Every structure is written in structure tokens, then in C-alpha cells.
Amino acid sequence: MQNSRTESSNGRDLLLAALSTTGINLAEKRAPASKVANAQGPEDDDDPFSAALKELDDTNLKAEQEIKQKKAIVSVLSAPIAPIRAHVPIPLNIRASAPLQVAIPRWLNPEPVPTVPMPRDVDEVAVAEDEELGYADTYADYTPAKVRGLRHPDSVVETSSLSSVEPPDVSYHLVLPVEVVSEGRLSALQTEAVIYACQKHEQRLPSGERAGFLVGDGAGVGKGRTIAGIIFENYLRGRKRSLWLSVSNDLRFDSQRDLRDIGAKIEVHALNKFKYGSKLSSRVNGSVKKGVLFATYASLIGESNSSSKYGTRLNQIVQWLGRDFDGVIVLDECHRAKNLLPGGPAQKPSKTGEAVKRLQEKIPNARLVYASATGASEPRHMAYMQRLGLWGKGAPFPTLEEFLGAVQQRGVGGMEIVAMDMKRRGVYLARQLSFNGVTFRVEEVPLARDFVQLYDDTVQLWVDLRDRFSSASELVDPEGRQRKTMWGQFWSAHQRFFKYLCISAKVPHAVRLAKDAVKAGKCVVIGLQSTGEARTLDQMEEQGGELNEFVSTAKGVLQTLIEKHFPTGDPPRDGSLLDLLGIGDEWRRELGRTPPREQAAQPALVSSSSSSDEEDGQQTTHDDDDDFNPFRMDDDDDETDPWLRGKRPAASPSSRPAKKPAMPAAPPVPMPPPPPPPPPSAPVSAESSAQVRQWKHELLQRVDALGKRLPANALDELIDALGGPTRVAEMTGRKGRLVSTPEGTVQYEYRAREGAADSLNVQEKERFMKGDKLVAIISEAASSGISLQADRRALNQRRRVHLTLELPWAADRAIQQFGRTHRSNQVSSPEYVLLISKLAGEHRFAATVAKRLESLGALTHGDRRATESRDLSRFNIDTKYGREALDECMKALIEMLPPPVPIPSSYPSDRFFSDARRALCNVGLLSATPHGAFAFEKDFNNVPKFLNRLLGVHVTLQNALFQFLLDVLESTIQRAKQDGRFDLGILDLGANGERVDRVATYRFVLERHGCQAQVELHHVRCERGISFANACDVLQQGGGARGDGFYIAEKERGGRRLVVLVVALSGQKHSVNPLCCVYKPATGLQPRREHLTDIKGRFRRVELEDGRPHWETQWEAAASHCMHRWFTGHCKRQMVSGERCELGLRTRSFYFLSGAVLSVWADVERLLGDGPSARMQLVRVKAADGTKLVGCNLAPRRIPILLQRLSEAAVRTQTEKFDEDPLAKLGL
């Protein structure tokens, strides 16, 4: 146990003690006041603290400025560092008689080592140690720290980062009945959330609004009962009305069950059962005076044609609650409101987000509960969480924009600081079910030769299609009035088409996996996002309902694009132009006609202004779709949540013929007149009109010919191959489907039985949970709220195998789908299988989700690796390093830059660059100039756009281009690590056997907006090297595998060779290519495991005595010299940045800030500044004495300035020393 002593002092004493131990003689070193830069305003000349700090700042500032001015020159310096003065070549505009004088701190000139000339071709990346993250266990077992109760029925965990932060003390007293807690109706962790939510609701924000609370528990933990507990507690305190917003009306039954399970006899009223135009408490609406009003986000924006002030749902809700309402408003699944802040300048805020914001503003006294497992996948998605006190009056950030700018600039570390600070303030809890027993793997599905040929043929068709669209547009629309809309539809269809092909390539593999799982005694859940129903109906309509086989959704995409959007110059027919404006169907209804889609559907129940809305009917639009999905065209409503649709009378359960039955037209609905059409363009010549019509006809013929080879709708194929509807539980949003008949034909049937349309998916779920059906297919419509786990209460307790055939567009939706099969009270954990075809373009979808998962883990669980355990991070390309790599890649392709990496060896031709340029021109990323050069198109370096368009490239070239991008990305990341720019996320100290000792802790108590906040500055020392004797012990204790032993590098660097110790993992002793642990003299056990063949590619094995001199030399040198200095005799990083380089040192010191970091964010921002050190690096420490700490890492040279600012602002300070003074080794 370390010895420690605690000292209390004021800020001046603390600063004086700290500075006196750095070796700075305040009497001798003090600079004249006139020569010291005054960055903080006037200071007292007699103040020794200010003088010392001014001199320190002045010295460092001058050195930094002069070094930065000569950065380009210093970067090619090959001579060793000379004491005190750095000699560099003199540029032409500087006189040679005036050598550059650089004031270098003492620590920049350690004792000289023997200099070895550095070859000019030595890559510094190769000699620099690859210091990866030290990976500790991402999660820690969770037990409520300050609340007692019965244990949760399943193992629950919390990220290690959040587990290092304690919530505030409990001061709130519950009035819930004793049996609610004693009988376990609410577990201890659910009770904890209820207490902290109610405790936070007692507080006011500086703006005067009541503070809110965020329940961020993962899917399946039991947020429903937690919410029920909060409502029950407030009900017993006299607050009899509550509002519960969620994503679907079907979840109202779950809310009733949760309230009933905890003993709360509170009635739940469905908003969609109330009539428009009247108060909810009026006689016409049943005089509802108390209870829980259950509504969906779609109904929140619902409105009628009534002129009454209660003609909107929002006004009805506000009137029922009252302006002074102080009860509970629950925003369940609150991620539906995340798009309040648009993602780009061309986008608008979602209607749902705006409605949620208005609701909070209209009722400032309400007790807000935000509840979601995926509350924010990006910082901007937190814009509606205005009651958490992160921005606004008296908050750390005055505005939302400043909050977003600060957090996004600081990378993952900034987001993690936010999550931890919210827990520390008692505004946030986030637990989730343990993933023990859960398996997750990514399977790349091989492509059949026939499929590759088909894919390449479709690529050529799309190339020709683009040429024809462009030529036709020039003929019939020379002014380009409709080109933006045309190309938007074109590229949307382009991406959707190839996505359907990617999915179809995986169907046979998915069927095999599903059948094997069922034979092995398991059951299967298959996740899709789209059903292709709209394309199916279009194809049926075209063929008159007479079908002999399943329709191809890919073919439907092509045909729809050509028929509806190919420029012919014809005037709009029957509202086709209005379709582009989004009002075609409404205009048809006003004319008494039935929209084409409704002709195939069941007759819609049209609500009048006085009738109840069935969640939106015709009154709610879907313009507020929370995640723009490029695979869904404007008229594609096949994946609308069935609970968000107007309810329709169900059809007979009997199968219907494929021919579409004639349906009565919906009653006319009064609609406003359509907007006037745009002014007509110049008339199209007869010759031009004939030409474009001929092109359109030829294109449709080619599509028809190719359509015979295109795959059928994936959902229909899956159901048919797995036994048909009698064996597959379908939980999607489509109304009907195509099924095979015993005669070998195909016919269309409605899914719903008479009167069962509302609960169709619930019935299918029950059949699956009873074991009547062992395969379930779920789409986005069933991704929220439905529980499909191996529940102990269910008859079907087989282990679930969850196949993700189609990745959701956003990470939060991916998490929602994963959470359907991993929930509380389960017998066994699920097995996740993510299927990705070996098409480079499909990595686009995985990359998008991986990016969101990484950010999602940081924001909602305080650790970006919380979601990386699902093995998606390797597909993450859409990062700042990916964008940098893509920019370099594109410039290399058009020869603006030399290729940063060799071309992929897999490409069979030496014309890689010319083929790539031609292909990228075909997909609109490049354009050829008349002079034979190439120019970039708009957003050429946008990663999602590049990967979208990459789908339209031939398979071989597509994969080669993607590999080229990955190689450039790896090179970019290596450079970022070399330059100190790489965002490491959380750095674990003590996770790989290194010893971490606490040296000192400074505590500062600050006054912030009437409250006290404590900030701590920690200094720890990490000893991570391993001596030769200890290395021999590790080798002797190993498993004795044939490959175990010492290895030295094949390639010599600056006259020296790296040496490593390789020991195979236990259990891999007899493996041909075992996975091995790697030890290095200076840094000990490496966090990354490597296969033996990979190690042998860079190292050769030597005898123990041959390895000894290399090991001992590196061990001794690592005590004082970084890797760069050891290999080359000097360190460029140290020269350029002015900061001490510790790469490869055995002993490293870390200084990090913990506690209420957000309260001093402005000071930390100024210290971090811009440049390589601008990122906010988080450090998680497990000290030798058992202490766990986490905080924001800071460069040593920033510490004196931070100490001064914190000391001046603190009302109380305290110093706790353990081994030695915290700043004694700074040597400043």
C-alpha cells in the first residue's frame, strides 16, 4: 500500500509548492514585467506566482512559435540534438549569420546516447512502436451503489468507464408501497433509477425549468417497469395525470402490464381513441380526469381539418395536462425525436423533434423522463434533451451549438466525458444485460460465379442508363429545371437496386444457416429492414395480377425509375408531377379517384375531423422520418410501422388470386387546391420527343430481358424456402404477400384475418414464442418493443440464432433489433450472425452502422468500445481518418499525388488507375475534361457517397478499389499515430500487467451557479517494461509451444533490431498457426494478439543467449530515451511539437483531470487548443493499490497553467501525496 499524506491549502500555497519543486528559482528566473506576455489581463508585478508562470509561458511560447515556423525544415533534420541549441539549415530569406536560437527545456536534452546515422529511406512509422489501446474488460458487473433491494433476475453490467463514476448521494424518500421493493416487483437497479429520477425532478435548472432525467438502460433491462415505478410514485404523491409517449400503440398493452405488475391500479388511455376538436376531459371524450395518457410520436403531430383550437393532438395534450402541470411526461424510445437538429444545410428538422421540443417548452414544470437504449447516436441527436442541463443559462455551454462544437471537436473523449458527467450529477443511468454467453460473428458470404456475371451486367446497364438519362435531359430539359429531382431519384434507385442484389446474394446462405440451426435444436430470428411490398404491388399492377413466379424487387426499382422519371418532355399525367411534389395521392382523392397504391390495398378508413384518428390516417404524414433511408423512395411506404398506419378493415383469411381485386374508392377528402405548376419550358421538338421515347422503349426492353435473371424478393424467397407462412412467423409492416401454391403457381394473399389487423404481429410473436413456428422474420416495424428472447415463461425456450440479413440504416435501429432476442429473464443468450457478402460496396452499410455504434457506445454508455464487442468496428471507414484517406486516394487516382500505397495485387490488370478513373466517371464521382484530364465532382471525398457509388462498379474493380482505400486508410492511421494525432478513445493503464502507482492527487472545490463541484488532478506513474530475467520466467511458464521463444526483427533500423518474446496462448499449443502473446522489453505485454505466421513474416527466431544482448540493451535504453531517439539518435516529434516524447519509455507519467470536468470545460478547451494535442484523451487507471480512476489526460507542460487557473477559481483545495511530489519530475 502506498504511503499517502493529505494537505489542505489555499491556491497560492498549492501553486508555490508545486512550482518550487520543478527546479524553477523564482528569485533568479523571474522576468521583467515589461517582457512578459500578459494573456490573462493585468497582474501584480510583485506576485511571484504570476511572474513564474509568465516566464514559463513566455519561454514555451517562444520555443513553440519558432519551432513551428521551421517545421518543414526541422522535419528533414538528420543530425542529433545538440544541447540547448538546435542547428538547422537556414532558409534563403534568413541571414546565415543569425542561427536559430531555440530555448529548449532541460527535459528535452537527456544524457546523450551513441548516435547511429539514420538512413534517409527509413520510415519513422516502421521504427515507432505501435502503441495500441490497452484493452481491459469493457464492462463491469453492476450493483447499485447507494440503493438496496432485491437482485435483478439477470446479470447486469455497466461500462468500466461509467462504473468508475459514483452517482450522488440519495436524499429522496420513496412513498411506494413496501411490497413493491420487498417482493422484487422492482429490482434494486430499477428502484435506483426511480429514486434518482424523482430526486432530479425536485431540482430546477438555472433557466427555471424543472430538471429532467435520462434512463439509458439497454434493451431488455426493464425500462418499462422503471417508468411505471416513476409514474406510480408521482401518482401516490397526488400527481394523478401522466403522459407516456412511445413508438407504437401496441406498446400500450405493455405499459398496462408493467403498471399492473408493480401493483399500480392506474388506468391507461389511448390518445388515438379520443376525438379531435374537443378537450380530452370533455363529455364527448368520456370526461377523462386522471390516469396515464398513452400516445405515439406520430399522433403527437396529428391534426384534423377542424378549425377548433383542439384540432391538433398537441393542443389537446397540453390542455389536458395544464400549463402548470408538474406531473410526469415520459418520452419512451425518445430516439424518435433525435432529428430535431438537421444533419445538413439542405435538411429540415423532423416534425417529431419539433413537436417534442414544443411540448417541453409549453409545460416547463413537467417532470421529464427520457428513456431509450439508444438515446443519442451522435451529439446532435441530443438536441431535444433540453432538460438535462448540458447547455443553456447557467450550464457549462451557453448554447446547443457551443455544446455540439466542443464535444465534436474533442472526438470520442469529449463524448465520454459528457456521459460520465451526467451520471455524476445524477441525471443519467445506463445499465445493460451482460453479454456473457452471447456470441457475435461476421460471416462474409462468397459470391457464385453466375451472380458475379449478373452483377457486372447490371453495372453496365446502369452505366448506359446514366448516359441515356443525361442525353435525354439535355434534349427535353435544356434549362435543367427538373434535373436535380431526376438525378436524386436516379441515384436513390441506383443504391436501392444494388442493395437488393447484395441481399439476394445472401438468401441461400441464410436459408442454410437457419435450417442447420433448427436441426440443432435452436430457433431462428432473421432481421430485415425492407419488405419490398411497394415493388411487388407495382409489378402485379403491371402484369395484371397474373404471376407465375415471385416478382423481382430489383427489376421493379429499374422499371419504376424509367417509367416515372425518364425525361421525355411530356406534360404530367394524372398527377405525376404532383407525385414529385409529394401531393399526388391527395389530389387524386379530391378528384374522386383512388391512388394506385390504395387500389391494391384494403380500403382505408378515412377519418373526419370529428372521428378518432387511428394513429395518423391521412392526417399524419411521414415527412418526419427520423432516419432518411436512401433505399426508400418517396412513394415506398412498405416499411411504415403498421401501428402508425390508418387501420383498415381486414380481408378474408383465404388466399386471394394474384390478380389485384378491384376496391372501392376512398371517400373524397376536402383538400386545398394544388400549387400552380412551374412555368412551362420551351416546347420539345417532335424529333427530340421521338428520340427520347425510342431510348425509353429500348431501356425498358433491356430491363425486361435482364429481369428474367434478376433475383426475386428476398422476403418472399426466405419464407418460401423455410416452409411457407405456416412455418415462418412474419413480423413486418406489409399487408399481403405472394405465396406458392401446390400447383406451382404464385398467388397473392392478405396476411390479416378478419378483425385481427391491429394485433397481427403480436399474434405471430405468440406463435413463435409457443414454438408453433421456429423461424421468425422481423423488419423495422417490429424492431421496437417486441420480445423474442428465450423467455423462462415461454414454451419455446430454444436458443435464438439471430441472423442479420440486412443491416439497419442507423446504429440505434441495429441495437433495437439486436435487443429483440437478448432480454431479461431468458434461459439462454442469443447467437448473433451478421451476414455480409464479399462485395466491397456492401461494407458501406456495415461501415455506417459501425460508425454509429462507436459513437453510440461513447454517448449512451460512456465507452466507445461498449458496442465494438459486436465486432463491427473493423468495417468502420466513415471516420476522420477515413475521410482523409479517401481524399488522398482520389487524388492519387487522378495523379494529383503519388500513390501512397502499392496497388492491390488482386487486380489482374496493370491498368488499375485508368480503369478506376473510368469507373468513377461512370458513377458520377469524376468527370473527364475536354483536355483529357479529370476533375472531381461535388462531394467526391464524402465517404458515404463514395461507398454508395462504389456499388455501381464491376465486382473485381470494386473490390480492388475498396482494398486500395483500406490500404491508404491504414497508412493514414499509422501517420496519425506517429504524429500523435490518433484518437485512442480510452487508454487503459494497468490492464496488461503493467504497474501503475498513484503519485499525487490535487482536489479543487469550485462554485458553479450556486452549487459546489469538485475537480481532481491526478498524477500516476506507469511502469510497463519487463526485464530479461522476468521474460525468461514468462517463457518458462508458457505452454511450451514449438514457436515460443525470442525473435529479432529481420529488418535492421538505424543499425539496431527490435526484439520480442513470443508465447502461444494457452490451448493453442498444438495449433499450426497459434495466436500468440507478444512481449517487448520496454512496454511488456502488448494488447494486440498476433498469429505466429504474421510474426514470422517480420521476425526470425533466435536462441535465448542470442536474444539477451538485444533485450538488455533495449531495456536499459528505454529508461530514458524514446524509440525515435534510440533508433535514430534524435526525435523529430519532440523537435516539432516541443513536448516530451515518451514513445517506448519504460516508465511514463500521466496527468489527468477527473470529477466535474464539464464545469471547467472552458479552461480545458483553452489548454488543449488546436493541433495534435487537441483531442481529449481519456485515461482509465487501475492502480496497484486497487484504486480505479478515469479522467481526461493532459500534456505535462499544461499542468502548471491549469494548476494556476484552478487554484484561483477554487474556494477550497486539498493535496494528497502518495510517493513523491506530483511535479518533481516535470523538469520544467
Side-chain angles (χ1 to χ4, degrees):
M1 180 69 68
Q2 292 176 292
N3 295 325
S4 67
R5 61 184 185 277
T6 302
E7 303 171 357
S8 295
S9 59
N10 59 34
R12 287 175 173 265
D13 294 338
L14 176 65
L15 187 59
L16 179 60
L19 290 175
S20 65
T21 58
T22 64
I24 296 178
N25 188 317
L26 298 180
E28 297 178 4
K29 303 278 288 183
R30 181 178 172 189
S34 60
K35 295 184 179 181
V36 178
N38 187 355
Q40 301 296 325
E43 296 285 352
D44 185 357
D45 287 347
D46 295 327
D47 186 351
F49 315 107
S50 301
L53 283 167
K54 285 177 181 178
E55 183 196 10
L56 181 63
D57 288 344
D58 190 55
T59 302
N60 287 335
L61 183 61
K62 287 182 178 179
E64 287 180 16
Q65 290 175 343
E66 292 183 328
I67 289 173
K68 287 179 179 178
Q69 289 173 358
K70 311 304 174 187
K71 182 175 180 180
I73 302 171
V74 175
S75 63
V76 297
L77 180 65
S78 59
I81 298 175
I84 302 302
R85 175 179 295 178
H87 298 279
V88 296
I90 307 301
L92 294 178
N93 61 344
I94 298 180
R95 296 177 59 186
S97 60
L100 176 65
Q101 300 288 332
V102 182
I104 301 178
R106 292 197 305 274
W107 52 259
L108 202 56
N109 290 282
E111 293 299 321
V113 296
T115 301
V116 179
M118 177 180 177
R120 288 189 177 275
D121 60 345
V122 173
D123 183 0
E124 189 171 358
V125 176
V127 304
E129 176 192 4
D130 183 17
E131 292 189 301
E132 297 284 351
L133 287 174
Y135 280 85
D137 292 335
T138 304
Y139 293 101
D141 290 333
Y142 184 82
T143 302
K146 301 178 179 180
V147 175
R148 294 182 179 180
L150 293 185
R151 183 184 177 88
H152 201 69
D154 291 273
S155 177
V156 176
V157 295
E158 185 183 38
T159 62
S160 298
S161 298
L162 281 180
S163 68
S164 65
V165 179
E166 276 202 2
D169 292 335
V170 173
S171 59
Y172 185 87
H173 177 69
L174 287 177
V175 297
L176 289 174
V178 175
E179 59 271 15
V180 172
V181 177
S182 63
E183 295 179 4
R185 299 177 187 177
L186 289 176
S187 67
L189 68 88
Q190 290 168 327
T191 304
E192 179 188 37
V194 173
I195 290 176
Y196 278 115
C198 295
Q199 180 169 304
K200 197 65 186 178
H201 287 156
E202 295 298 309
Q203 302 176 14
R204 296 275 183 172
L205 300 175
S207 63
E209 296 176 306
R210 190 180 296 276
F213 186 82
L214 173 57
V215 180
D217 292 339
V221 171
K223 291 190 296 295
R225 283 206 186 187
T226 299
I227 294 170
I230 296 172
I231 291 175
F232 193 18
E233 166 72 13
N234 281 272
Y235 190 88
L236 294 175
R237 288 187 178 271
R239 295 181 276 271
K240 303 295 185 181
R241 295 184 181 183
S242 299
L243 173 64
W244 191 329
L245 284 169
S246 193
V247 294
S248 73
N249 266 323
D250 196 65
L251 295 178
R252 173 170 60 93
F253 302 106
D254 293 338
S255 67
Q256 291 172 329
R257 179 203 62 207
D258 290 328
L259 287 166
R260 183 175 61 250
D261 287 346
I262 66 171
K265 297 179 180 179
I266 304 175
E267 192 172 356
V268 179
H269 310 280
L271 178 64
N272 66 318
K273 301 301 181 183
F274 292 95
K275 295 182 178 181
Y276 279 101
S278 302
K279 298 178 182 179
L280 301 184
S281 56
S282 66
R283 183 176 301 176
V284 71
N285 276 322
S287 302
V288 175
K289 304 297 184 183
K290 63 180 180 179
V292 177
L293 181 62
F294 190 93
T296 66
Y297 291 101
S299 66
L300 189 62
I301 60 176
E303 59 184 43
S304 71
N305 296 328
S306 171
S307 59
S308 168
K309 67 177 181 178
Y310 303 120
T312 67
R313 288 304 196 196
L314 182 59
N315 288 346
Q316 286 182 305
I317 291 171
V318 171
Q319 187 281 325
W320 187 73
L321 296 177
R323 296 280 180 175
D324 297 327
F325 174 72
D326 65 346
V328 180
I329 294 179
V330 178
L331 301 179
D332 194 10
E333 307 294 352
C334 58
H335 51 270
R336 287 300 299 269
K338 66 185 180 181
N339 279 349
L340 173 61
L341 193 66
Q347 299 179 16
K348 298 186 299 182
S350 69
K351 292 183 179 179
T352 300
E354 289 182 322
V356 169
K357 182 174 183 289
R358 288 198 303 271
L359 177 65
Q360 296 178 78
E361 292 171 346
K362 287 177 179 291
I363 313 180
N365 201 31
R367 299 166 192 265
L368 263 295
V369 178
Y370 308 99
S372 175
T374 55
S377 53
E378 290 183 5
R380 66 182 179 86
H381 289 164
M382 301 179 71
Y384 64 93
M385 298 184 185
Q386 57 206 61
R387 299 286 188 90
L388 297 183
L390 293 172
W391 62 85
K393 182 180 178 181
F397 304 95
T399 64
L400 171 63
E401 290 71 21
E402 291 186 48
F403 166 75
L404 296 177
V407 174
Q408 291 172 343
Q409 180 185 6
R410 300 307 172 189
V412 176
M415 294 187 287
E416 288 161 345
I417 285 288
V418 171
M420 291 186 290
D421 185 82
M422 288 196 299
K423 180 185 176 182
R424 183 194 58 78
R425 292 189 293 116
V427 74
Y428 172 64
L429 286 174
R431 296 74 54 95
Q432 70 178 46
L433 294 181
S434 170
F435 273 74
N436 288 335
V438 175
T439 62
F440 189 100
R441 70 179 188 271
V442 177
E443 286 201 10
E444 293 191 351
V445 181
L447 301 177
R449 184 175 302 175
D450 292 344
F451 180 84
V452 173
Q453 183 60 52
L454 171 64
Y455 196 99
D456 288 345
D457 290 345
T458 60
V459 167
Q460 187 58 49
L461 174 60
W462 276 96
V463 171
D464 297 340
L465 196 63
R466 179 173 178 264
D467 290 341
R468 285 290 185 249
F469 264 72
S470 181
S471 300
S473 177
E474 292 289 343
L475 285 176
V476 304
D477 186 23
E479 299 178 9
R481 295 184 178 182
Q482 299 180 12
R483 286 182 196 171
K484 183 176 181 180
T485 299
M486 179 193 75
W487 287 120
Q489 294 292 342
F490 180 91
W491 291 117
S492 175
H494 180 274
Q495 185 178 351
R496 283 157 41 89
F497 175 88
F498 286 107
K499 178 181 177 248
Y500 285 139
L501 280 188
C502 292
I503 295 172
S504 65
K506 298 178 289 187
V507 168
H509 193 80
V511 170
R512 286 194 297 271
L513 289 177
K515 289 182 176 179
D516 291 344
V518 172
K519 288 179 182 177
K522 305 173 184 178
C523 61
V524 179
V525 176
I526 301 176
L528 282 169
Q529 285 299 294
S530 54
T531 63
E533 182 182 30
R535 306 284 77 78
T536 300
L537 296 178
D538 287 341
Q539 290 288 291
M540 288 176 57
E541 184 175 16
E542 179 189 347
Q543 300 183 31
E546 301 296 336
L547 299 174
N548 295 320
E549 58 185 359
F550 293 118
V551 302
S552 170
T553 49
K555 178 185 177 183
V557 169
L558 270 171
Q559 283 188 326
T560 300
L561 173 66
I562 296 172
E563 290 175 350
K564 293 187 176 181
H565 303 292
F566 189 82
T568 60
D570 294 336
R573 289 188 178 181
D574 196 18
S576 59
L577 176 60
L578 301 180
D579 286 332
L580 297 180
L581 300 175
I583 60 171
D585 286 351
E586 287 84 352
W587 182 242
R588 292 186 188 98
R589 291 191 189 100
E590 184 176 3
L591 297 176
R593 303 175 185 174
T594 304
R597 186 64 38 76
E598 295 180 5
Q599 293 175 6
Q602 301 154 1
L605 178 61
V606 180
S607 302
S608 68
S609 61
S610 61
S611 65
S612 63
D613 71 312
E614 294 299 340
E615 214 34 54
D616 56 355
Q618 85 278 5
Q619 295 155 344
T620 301
T621 66
H622 298 284
D623 295 337
D624 64 315
D625 189 42
D626 287 325
D627 264 299
F628 169 69
N629 190 334
F631 312 127
R632 181 183 303 150
M633 296 175 72
D634 294 339
D635 61 344
D636 184 6
D637 63 353
D638 58 351
E639 267 310 290
T640 302
D641 190 326
W643 298 293
L644 305 184
R645 296 183 175 192
K647 297 180 181 176
R648 302 172 175 87
S652 168
S654 60
S655 297
R656 308 291 179 89
K659 187 172 183 177
K660 289 184 176 181
M663 292 293 178
V669 178
M671 293 292 296
S681 302
V684 181
S685 67
E687 182 180 355
S688 297
S689 180
Q691 180 66 72
V692 295
R693 288 175 182 276
Q694 178 64 26
W695 287 342
K696 181 176 181 179
H697 177 69
E698 292 172 355
L699 289 174
L700 287 173
Q701 283 186 322
R702 290 183 61 181
V703 170
D704 190 59
L706 184 66
K708 299 182 176 68
R709 299 165 54 199
L710 290 174
N713 180 20
L715 180 54
D716 289 331
E717 269 197 305
L718 278 171
I719 294 176
D720 189 61
L722 293 172
T726 59
R727 296 189 176 184
V728 178
E730 178 186 343
M731 284 164 269
T732 69
R734 64 177 183 172
K735 301 172 288 291
R737 58 193 167 203
L738 295 176
V739 296
S740 298
T741 65
E743 294 78 21
T745 60
V746 173
Q747 63 183 14
Y748 185 87
E749 70 173 18
Y750 291 119
R751 292 180 58 217
R753 294 179 177 272
E754 190 70 34
D758 294 350
S759 57
L760 175 61
N761 286 334
V762 176
Q763 293 173 6
E764 285 285 73
K765 169 208 166 183
E766 291 175 352
R767 297 184 186 109
F768 177 76
M769 298 299 284
K770 289 179 180 178
D772 297 337
K773 299 181 179 182
L774 297 177
V775 178
I777 298 178
I778 61 175
S779 71
E780 183 182 335
S783 289
S784 293
I786 290 186
S787 302
L788 300 175
Q789 81 276 23
D791 199 312
R792 290 186 174 91
R793 298 165 294 186
L795 295 176
N796 179 10
Q797 296 185 0
R798 295 186 175 204
R799 187 180 187 187
R800 273 51 171 167
V801 178
H802 192 140
L803 305 178
T804 304
L805 188 66
E806 179 184 357
L807 269 174
W809 175 246
D812 47 6
R813 292 182 176 176
I815 295 294
Q816 288 291 346
Q817 227 184 62
F818 293 157
R820 298 311 99 212
T821 51
H822 182 51
R823 305 178 73 81
S824 292
N825 204 39
Q826 61 189 13
V827 176
S828 58
S829 300
E831 175 183 343
Y832 295 120
V833 182
L834 175 63
L835 299 178
I836 296 180
S837 63
K838 287 190 174 180
L839 282 167
E842 194 177 7
H843 285 75
R844 182 268 175 279
F845 311 115
T848 299
V849 173
K851 175 190 175 184
R852 297 294 181 86
L853 285 173
E854 185 171 296
S855 295
L856 187 65
L859 274 172
T860 61
H861 296 297
D863 189 335
R864 71 169 183 170
R865 289 168 295 155
T867 46
E868 286 185 11
S869 61
R870 299 181 176 90
D871 198 26
L872 278 173
S873 58
R874 64 192 179 100
F875 296 110
N876 191 359
I877 306 167
D878 192 10
T879 65
K880 60 182 178 181
Y881 308 109
R883 292 186 286 274
E884 184 179 334
L886 176 58
D887 186 82
E888 189 173 1
C889 178
M890 293 292 288
K891 291 177 179 177
L893 289 175
I894 66 169
E895 300 178 344
M896 283 183 63
L897 294 175
V901 296
I903 64 172
S905 58
S906 60
Y907 194 65
S909 171
D910 59 355
R911 295 174 51 83
F912 171 74
F913 287 103
S914 59
D915 291 348
R917 287 192 292 267
R918 187 181 308 108
L920 294 180
C921 284
N922 290 333
V923 295
L925 292 174
L926 295 177
S927 59
T929 67
H931 306 291
F934 293 87
F936 295 122
E937 292 289 346
K938 182 181 178 182
D939 296 331
F940 73 95
N941 55 359
N942 180 280
V943 174
K945 180 177 181 178
F946 175 83
L947 293 174
N948 284 339
R949 302 295 176 84
L950 194 62
L951 289 166
V953 176
H954 291 86
V955 172
T956 304
L957 181 58
Q958 181 183 139
N959 290 333
L961 269 170
F962 188 75
Q963 186 59 50
F964 185 66
L965 175 60
L966 289 182
D967 292 343
V968 176
L969 174 60
E970 184 177 355
S971 173
T972 302
I973 291 175
Q974 289 294 343
R975 288 199 307 270
K977 290 179 179 179
Q978 170 192 341
D979 298 338
R981 296 182 294 110
F982 188 65
D983 190 349
L984 295 172
I986 293 184
L987 176 65
D988 283 313
L989 300 179
N992 289 293
E994 64 269 34
R995 178 182 176 87
V996 181
D997 292 309
R998 290 191 293 163
V999 179
T1001 297
Y1002 288 94
R1003 295 184 178 89
F1004 305 88
V1005 179
L1006 311 171
E1007 285 283 354
R1008 287 292 186 268
H1009 314 298
C1011 300
Q1012 290 193 344
Q1014 179 170 296
V1015 180
E1016 298 179 347
L1017 179 64
H1018 301 274
H1019 174 207
V1020 299
R1021 185 177 58 246
C1022 179
E1023 175 66 46
R1024 57 212 182 123
I1026 178 171
S1027 67
F1028 184 75
N1030 290 339
C1032 291
D1033 292 340
V1034 171
L1035 179 61
Q1036 186 175 2
Q1037 296 169 6
R1042 289 185 300 174
D1044 290 0
F1046 290 91
Y1047 289 72
I1048 63 172
E1050 290 281 7
K1051 192 172 182 180
E1052 191 176 78
R1053 305 291 183 184
R1056 306 183 189 277
R1057 295 180 188 271
L1058 282 173
V1059 60
V1060 297
L1061 171 64
V1062 176
V1063 179
L1065 292 174
S1066 60
Q1068 304 238 344
K1069 178 179 179 180
H1070 303 292
S1071 174
V1072 177
N1073 184 26
L1075 195 63
C1076 302
C1077 295
V1078 179
Y1079 297 82
K1080 294 184 179 180
T1083 55
L1085 176 63
Q1086 303 303 294
R1088 185 173 58 186
R1089 309 296 182 252
E1090 296 189 59
H1091 286 283
L1092 184 60
T1093 55
D1094 296 332
I1095 297 172
K1096 289 183 175 180
R1098 310 189 314 274
F1099 296 86
R1100 59 181 172 86
R1101 188 176 177 182
V1102 296
E1103 296 298 326
L1104 185 146
E1105 289 304 318
D1106 293 333
R1108 179 196 292 268
H1110 295 278
W1111 193 281
E1112 291 180 343
T1113 302
Q1114 292 179 35
W1115 157 262
E1116 292 171 1
S1120 57
H1121 305 302
C1122 68
M1123 290 288 288
H1124 309 109
R1125 191 174 180 84
W1126 165 245
F1127 278 107
T1128 68
H1130 72 276
C1131 178
K1132 290 192 297 183
R1133 179 188 299 180
Q1134 192 165 281
M1135 287 291 297
V1136 172
S1137 68
E1139 297 184 13
R1140 185 185 187 189
C1141 178
E1142 294 188 326
L1143 187 69
L1145 289 180
R1146 277 196 346 237
T1147 303
R1148 294 187 62 177
S1149 290
F1150 293 90
Y1151 304 85
F1152 57 94
L1153 202 63
S1154 67
V1157 178
L1158 280 188
S1159 64
V1160 292
W1161 187 286
D1163 293 309
V1164 176
E1165 282 273 286
R1166 286 193 291 269
L1167 287 176
L1168 290 176
D1170 299 319
S1173 62
R1175 70 184 187 280
M1176 188 168 283
Q1177 170 75 62
L1178 254 65
V1179 177
R1180 184 165 54 207
V1181 175
K1182 184 178 180 181
D1185 61 3
T1187 305
K1188 293 182 179 180
L1189 302 167
V1190 62
C1192 171
N1193 189 34
L1194 296 170
R1197 67 189 181 93
R1198 312 282 192 184
I1199 302 305
I1201 304 173
L1202 180 63
L1203 275 173
Q1204 180 197 24
R1205 292 179 180 171
L1206 292 180
S1207 299
E1208 292 172 348
V1211 297
R1212 187 170 64 256
T1213 64
Q1214 185 184 62
T1215 306
E1216 187 175 7
K1217 300 180 181 179
F1218 299 92
D1219 188 13
E1220 57 182 275
D1221 192 275
L1223 300 176
K1225 290 199 172 184
L1226 279 180
L1228 293 174

